[in-house]
Amino acid sequence: MRLPSIRRSQGRQGPSGSRVQAVRWRRRRRRTPAAAALLAAALTVAGLAAAGPAALPASAAPAGPAGPTATAGDVTGFSRSGNTFTITASSGAKARVVVARADIFRLWLSPDGSFQDDPAGADLAPTTDFGPVTTGYSDAGSHYRITTGSLSIRVNKKPLRFSVFRADDTTPVWQETKPTSWTGGRTTQYLTRGADEQFYGTGLRLGEWALRGKTVPIAVDNKWRENDNASPAPFYMSTNGYGVMRNTWAPGSYGFDAPTTLTHDEKRFDAWYFTGDSLKSVLDAYTDVSGKPFMAPMWGFELGNADCFNASNPDYQGDHNRPRHQNTPDVVGYAADARAADMPSGWFLPNDGYGCGYTAPLKSTVDALKAKGFWTGLWTSTGLGSIADEVGSAGSRGVKTDVAWIGSGYKYAFDGVRQAVDGIEKNSDARRYVWTVDGWAGTQRNAVVWTGDTYGTWDDMRWHVPAITGAGLSGLNYAAGDIDGIFGGSPRTYTRDLQWKAFTPAFMTMSGWGATNPSAGYHDKQPWRFAEPYLSINRTYLQLKMRLMPYLYTMSRVAHESGVPSTRAMVLEYPDDPVARGNLTSGQFMAGDSFLVAPVVSDTEVRDGIYLPAGTWTDYWTGRTYAGPGWLNGYRAPLDTLPLFVKGGAVVPMWPQMNHTGEKPVSTLTYDIHPRGTSSFDLYEDDGLTRAYTSGAYARQRVDVTAPTAGSGAVTVSVGAPTGSYTGKPASRGYEFTLHVATGPSTVTVDGAPVPGLPSKAAYDAAPTGWYFDPADRSGVLRIKTGTKSGAFTVAATGVGLPATEPLPAVTPIDRSAWSLVHADSQETAAENGAATHTFDGNPATIWHTAWSSGTPAALPHEIRIDLGARYAVDGLGYLPRQDGGVNGRIGGYEVYVSDSTTDWGPPVATGTFADTATAKSTSLAPKSGRYLRLRALSEAGGRGPWTSAAEITLTGRPAP
């Protein structure tokens, strides 16, 4: 018997434009992925590296030039009112500089001089009053100078141009190369680009996060492919120590070339500038104005699961015969499956969009899920007409605002997210938990942004790593992508994708929108619906995330306070490391301040090109410790192993194992410590559910560790008393410490009193207090139990030895941004784009292929010659065969040459034969310095024909005089 279906009102959908979008999107939902979807291997860097929103959206299409280009002209007047400075220009235009804080100001240029058009208002900049600020100004002849305690802002008179210096008035921050110009519908600023200046930001950009030399659209297109922008933000920041948020809803484009061109499709210029002494301080200032990242509920850090559980609804656009998905209460069976499989997971979105309205009564399903430790959210394609009842009465606690509703983006999408936030927070004491696409600046304070409808391929996984990492460089603490995409996929890609996403704050599976099942034996995309070994591997990483909950939750509190994300590009932690500043490290990230995660994003069991910055790094699984900086190649990473390293000095709080928050009390808190010098951790805790923390209902506990920097000595752990209070805060709890040391202690004390050593792990587990050293556990682990504590205490272990460090080989990838093609003897350009330049474009989905469509193909050998842009001492070459499913053209026999001349190559620096496989290849070269590379393919690996093909060529080496 079919249960009645509750559908959100189509009439509450919003403007007609969104209905058109909905129709287009429903058609897209019916598509299945192409049979020949691109597969890709990751490039390894060494060798190879209620009503809808009321406002109509801005158009995403560029307005284009309309009439002649104009500028403000020369300065004709300058005045001050408080901390607002107004400049009049000869064209009638006016500019305003409004100083909000010594390090923050607004620059507003109005071509008509009216300052009436302020479309963003307080939406993008809700906080601009920071109290009194001291400013001054002077006439310096050629320019006016506005001063704060941090900055000197120059207003050039002829013509009107702006530049910003540090307080010394000599250290540049940014400078306009020529006046800002506008046409009828577009305004552009032009800035000098420093010799080594790097740029980051622009929102959730689907690709590399270091943007120098790139042009980035700041616009909504809902394509969700590499180099698109799933949630654009009119914000960027520079290694010069500043960031900019354009105060606009208009689309634009940022070209980080020389000069840097910053364009939006409107006849006005309005921007907030943030300065600091680091990228972290710039993010702090930016989010002071635009809003700090929200604090998600604890269950929002757990795995979420989205699917349709009302397939019997006639309006459903998928398979109406899906078993166990006929009516919304069927979701409870999936919850039972998860618990039966001992699989951590925390919430469900039983879809109520795209014709899959939930079946009444909703509350009974919500209650049944909650009894199994799951929270419930709803996923809407039509609006929020019933959210007061869904939240207030039924107990739903999350919203996913899908593209058929908010896909027109800009203010329309922003207002839709805000309505979802209000729907949760005005009808309960719960925290906001909203997922969205098409976010904008400020979305970090309201929602998780995700990458849209992507594919379960290695190639999609490859660019997801920098995409999700890079979102944090725009203050987006919660950025995610569907595990294994929404279309296609396989057990192997699912398992690899889940591994690394378990180290990000928010992640979710997405089922039921591809074919009946993605592939034979692959049912839905829930981690407990897999055969071995995938089932156990998925469980391992989900369990690890649950144990790391207090660490990851604290890192997100750091984001909430400072704007510094939990998922961090290497440059945030190592801003002075030239390797960390650029995309050579875009395939890895820091999870908080202690874990370095290097995802495996190709079908391989060997991970090359892991960059370990200065300091010591311990392999999480083996205890093997390395001394950086340097590159780690040949890392053994079978399917169950995510390359994961812990920073020396790390202090990591861990919960007991549980499958969902609140399943058991945190009767014992474990601190997992890698002692090295002095370090600390400031644990943050609250009730994990309500907004009481905003009124001060939370607690902190500081842990300080002192240890030798090398060799042996004493390790002391000083645990502070928890400060503050919240509902459910324990009056006392037990503590365990796991110290990663190479040799056992001579004594262990707690507050000076000896703690007994125990003879075995079993004896240790059974004892209320004591210590046990296991030299075979990850190269040495000292475990210490203190018993129950309520206040401050100190643990000391004397005579322990720290792990010895292994040096890393001095192998450095050569930057390919300056490479150019000198010659390719043959390339296919008629039937496909097989241009040889694809071998160094950074995209393994594109290839060089020798010509085949224009008569008799050229015979082997084939060759490519590349100008490296400068001289290098080259010591290694990497070759990635084509990754598009084709096999012909794989290089077999080869010769490699390096030279300063394209006519005199000398003898080869390497010869050999590559295997006939699709995996990445590398070869060492006899070290030689030169500017040019020549790779000759002597034979085709499979003997299939006279072809040569390549997806990527990389080199390692060092700059040479």
Side-chain angles (χ1 to χ4, degrees), residues 534-875:
Y534 314 107
L535 179 72
S536 293
I537 299 171
N538 294 338
R539 181 188 296 114
T540 293
Y541 285 91
L542 292 173
Q543 287 179 337
L544 179 56
K545 182 168 191 182
M546 287 303 302
R547 290 214 67 198
L548 290 173
M549 180 69 79
Y551 171 80
L552 294 171
Y553 194 65
T554 297
M555 290 297 106
S556 285
R557 176 67 186 196
V558 170
H560 179 66
E561 294 175 345
S562 69
V564 177
S566 177
T567 304
R568 301 175 185 173
M570 300 302 296
V571 68
L572 279 179
E573 293 300 300
Y574 299 91
D576 298 324
D577 186 323
V579 176
R581 286 163 61 107
N583 285 317
L584 289 175
T585 60
S586 66
Q588 61 186 64
F589 60 90
M590 294 293 294
D593 54 19
S594 294
F595 290 101
L596 189 155
V597 183
V600 177
V601 293
S602 63
D603 196 7
T604 181
E605 294 191 350
V606 176
R607 176 61 153 91
D608 289 328
I610 302 170
Y611 182 69
L612 302 180
T616 61
W617 300 91
T618 298
D619 186 325
Y620 186 82
W621 311 108
T622 67
R624 193 172 177 182
T625 301
Y626 302 90
W631 295 92
L632 181 60
N633 293 308
Y635 182 90
R636 296 296 304 168
L639 187 63
D640 64 352
T641 302
L642 169 73
L644 179 64
F645 300 85
V646 190
K647 183 179 178 179
V651 181
V652 179
M654 302 181 75
W655 275 355
Q657 191 66 68
M658 61 183 82
N659 284 332
H660 62 87
T661 303
E663 181 185 29
K664 61 181 70 170
V666 184
S667 55
T668 298
L669 185 66
T670 298
Y671 279 100
D672 192 43
I673 299 172
H674 289 257
R676 188 79 60 167
T678 60
S679 56
S680 64
F681 191 87
D682 192 8
L683 176 69
Y684 171 85
E685 297 175 290
D686 60 28
D687 67 20
L689 287 174
T690 75
R691 301 191 300 280
Y693 74 94
T694 62
S695 301
Y698 57 83
R700 295 186 184 274
Q701 181 179 46
R702 183 178 174 90
V703 176
D704 292 285
V705 179
T706 59
T709 56
S712 61
V715 175
T716 302
V717 183
S718 299
V719 181
T723 60
S725 183
Y726 59 89
T727 300
K729 178 179 177 289
S732 61
R733 61 187 168 199
Y735 289 88
E736 181 180 33
F737 300 88
T738 51
L739 274 58
H740 294 260
V741 293
T743 60
S746 53
T747 62
V748 174
T749 60
V750 175
D751 286 336
V755 175
L758 299 166
S760 67
K761 180 63 163 52
Y764 173 83
D765 290 341
T769 61
W771 64 266
Y772 173 69
F773 176 69
D774 185 351
D777 184 0
R778 292 164 289 173
S779 301
V781 176
L782 170 62
R783 299 175 183 273
I784 305 169
K785 285 183 184 178
T786 66
T788 301
K789 299 288 182 181
S790 58
F793 64 97
T794 298
V795 175
T798 61
V800 296
L802 300 190
T805 59
E806 302 178 32
L808 292 165
V811 176
T812 303
I814 295 176
D815 185 2
R816 298 186 295 172
S817 62
W819 290 15
S820 60
L821 181 68
V822 175
H823 169 75
D825 75 294
S826 176
Q827 57 184 341
E828 175 61 40
T829 57
E832 64 186 0
N833 187 355
T837 53
H838 289 324
T839 61
F840 51 89
D841 65 357
N843 183 359
T846 61
I847 66 171
W848 165 44
H849 197 292
T850 51
W852 56 267
S853 65
S854 54
T856 304
L860 285 159
H862 297 300
E863 68 175 62
I864 182 173
R865 303 174 190 172
I866 299 171
D867 181 353
L868 308 182
R871 294 190 82 241
Y872 290 91
V874 183
D875 54 29

Side-chain angles (χ1 to χ4, degrees), residues 29 92 109 335 538 630 745:
R29 286 288 188 182
L109 192 156
N538 294 338

Side-chain angles (χ1 to χ4, degrees), residues 409-589:
Y410 308 100
K411 181 171 173 57
Y412 189 86
F414 192 91
D415 286 348
V417 169
R418 185 157 49 192
Q419 287 179 20
V421 167
D422 289 346
I424 294 169
E425 295 192 348
K426 290 182 178 180
N427 293 288
S428 72
D429 64 353
R431 304 176 191 180
R432 63 194 67 182
Y433 196 66
V434 180
W435 282 55
T436 194
V437 287
D438 300 333
W440 197 248
T443 295
Q444 74 273 0
R445 67 181 188 260
N446 289 327
V448 180
V449 292
W450 97 98
T451 57
D453 283 8
T454 58
Y455 292 77
T457 69
W458 297 111
D459 196 44
D460 277 37
M461 199 188 311
R462 170 188 59 80
W463 54 256
H464 264 82
V465 177
I468 290 174
T469 303
L473 296 169
S474 293
L476 292 161
N477 182 54
Y478 303 94
D482 297 332
I483 295 173
D484 204 32
I486 181 175
F487 299 121
S490 68
R492 291 184 69 83
T493 52
Y494 185 99
T495 298
R496 282 297 197 193
D497 209 27
L498 183 147
Q499 284 177 357
W500 71 268
K501 286 176 178 171
F503 284 84
T504 64
F507 63 154
M508 178 171 63
T509 64
M510 171 67 189
S511 297
W513 291 103
T516 302
N517 289 307
S519 63
Y522 185 13
H523 304 287
D524 303 320
K525 293 200 174 184
Q526 314 300 348
W528 52 85
R529 288 175 62 78
F530 288 83
E532 295 292 359
Y534 314 107
L535 179 72
S536 293
I537 299 171
N538 294 338
R539 181 188 296 114
T540 293
Y541 285 91
L542 292 173
Q543 287 179 337
L544 179 56
K545 182 168 191 182
M546 287 303 302
R547 290 214 67 198
L548 290 173
M549 180 69 79
Y551 171 80
L552 294 171
Y553 194 65
T554 297
M555 290 297 106
S556 285
R557 176 67 186 196
V558 170
H560 179 66
E561 294 175 345
S562 69
V564 177
S566 177
T567 304
R568 301 175 185 173
M570 300 302 296
V571 68
L572 279 179
E573 293 300 300
Y574 299 91
D576 298 324
D577 186 323
V579 176
R581 286 163 61 107
N583 285 317
L584 289 175
T585 60
S586 66
Q588 61 186 64
F589 60 90

Side-chain angles (χ1 to χ4, degrees), residues 223-407:
K223 293 179 180 177
W224 307 315
R225 304 308 302 148
E226 186 173 11
N227 296 321
D228 291 324
N229 212 323
S231 281
F235 167 82
Y236 76 90
M237 60 179 175
S238 157
T239 50
N240 276 9
Y242 79 94
V244 189
M245 178 182 72
R246 291 284 280 266
N247 197 44
T248 183
W249 295 113
S253 177
Y254 296 170
F256 297 105
D257 297 308
T260 296
T261 57
L262 308 158
T263 299
H264 279 275
D265 294 340
E266 58 182 359
K267 190 179 177 180
R268 61 190 294 275
F269 179 91
D270 188 358
W272 283 93
Y273 289 86
F274 319 95
T275 57
D277 58 5
S278 67
L279 294 173
K280 287 184 177 181
S281 63
V282 172
L283 282 175
D284 194 13
Y286 164 57
T287 52
D288 279 346
V289 171
S290 64
K292 298 298 185 187
F294 73 102
M295 275 294 289
M298 276 191 169
W299 57 264
F301 289 72
E302 299 168 22
L303 181 70
N305 310 273
D307 202 349
C308 175
F309 286 93
N310 193 17
S312 62
N313 185 346
D315 293 331
Y316 173 49
Q317 298 168 31
D319 176 9
H320 289 278
N321 297 314
R322 291 186 70 199
R324 304 182 68 204
H325 290 74
Q326 290 299 293
N327 296 291
T328 305
D330 286 351
V331 69
V332 181
Y334 268 59
D337 290 350
R339 297 300 178 235
D342 192 27
M343 191 73 71
S345 187
W347 50 284
F348 276 97
L349 295 179
N351 189 4
D352 69 299
Y354 301 101
C356 188
Y358 56 81
T359 48
L362 177 62
K363 186 177 188 306
S364 59
T365 299
V366 172
D367 290 346
L369 286 173
K370 192 171 182 180
K372 296 184 181 301
F374 287 92
W375 294 84
T376 305
L378 295 174
W379 166 14
T380 176
S381 61
T382 57
L384 298 167
S386 302
I387 194 167
D389 179 69
E390 292 159 351
V391 172
S393 299
S396 178
R397 288 293 182 267
V399 174
K400 184 182 182 204
T401 62
D402 215 316
V403 70
W405 174 35
I406 52 82

